Amino acid sequence: VPVHPGDSQRPPKALPHLACGRRGRQVRSDRDKFVIFLDVKHFSPEDLTVKVQDDFVEIHGKHNERQDDHGYISREFHRRYRLPSNVDQSALSCSLSADGMLTFSGPKIQTGLDATHERAIPVAREEKPSSAPSS
């Protein structure tokens, strides 16, 4: 779905990476994992810093002025995302693909019972009478 300036149609929700007219960014949070995809093709690994502070991941990119097809350009961005409370912060990872896609991810810690799962609780028969008051 091409996106042009002034186009009143928005890309479908299933394709949030097209919201910028290209790969842009995408955040996924499912049952097992939290993942951020961020297009940083204009930055080298040395231009990027990724850090976790409290419940947030901060991604910063900055490169000095360099020449491109149109003249000279310098770029800088800051992105901050709240981490879900059940992300295992000791197992976070970050990688940069050859085509400039930064992937930040962390597994989720399974806590308690899932609301979508049902579990039967057996009823045990006791031989002695209950000590609860009868009505």
Side-chain angles (χ1 to χ4, degrees):
V1 177
V3 178
H4 302 284
D7 190 356
S8 62
Q9 291 184 330
R10 294 178 186 231
K13 288 190 182 236
L15 303 171
H17 59 284
L18 294 178
C20 299
R22 59 181 193 278
R23 299 182 303 166
R25 65 190 172 278
Q26 184 177 21
V27 178
R28 291 184 192 162
S29 185
D30 60 28
R31 190 172 164 266
D32 301 317
K33 192 194 290 193
F34 175 77
V35 185
I36 299 168
F37 298 101
L38 192 60
D39 183 351
V40 295
K41 68 180 170 224
H42 297 292
F43 299 88
S44 65
E46 301 79 38
D47 298 332
L48 299 164
T49 57
V50 179
K51 64 182 179 180
V52 173
Q53 187 169 10
D54 300 322
D55 291 336
F56 290 89
V57 57
E58 298 178 12
I59 303 171
H60 174 240
K62 180 178 182 176
H63 74 68
N64 294 326
E65 191 173 272
R66 59 176 76 142
Q67 192 167 3
D68 68 3
D69 296 338
H70 308 286
Y72 292 88
I73 188 164
S74 61
R75 293 180 178 90
E76 182 173 12
F77 75 90
H78 294 268
R79 287 231 166 251
R80 193 166 171 240
Y81 302 90
R82 181 181 293 276
L83 293 171
S85 60
N86 61 342
V87 167
D88 182 356
Q89 291 196 18
S90 66
L92 296 172
S93 66
C94 190
S95 63
L96 181 62
S97 69
D99 64 345
M101 185 60 73
L102 182 86
T103 304
F104 174 90
S105 64
K108 289 187 176 178
I109 301 166
Q110 300 303 318
T111 55
L113 292 177
D114 231 349
T116 59
H117 286 81
E118 184 177 293
R119 187 176 72 142
I121 308 296
V123 178
R125 178 174 216 111
E126 294 183 358
E127 296 303 320
K128 55 185 181 178
S130 167
S131 57
S134 55
S135 353

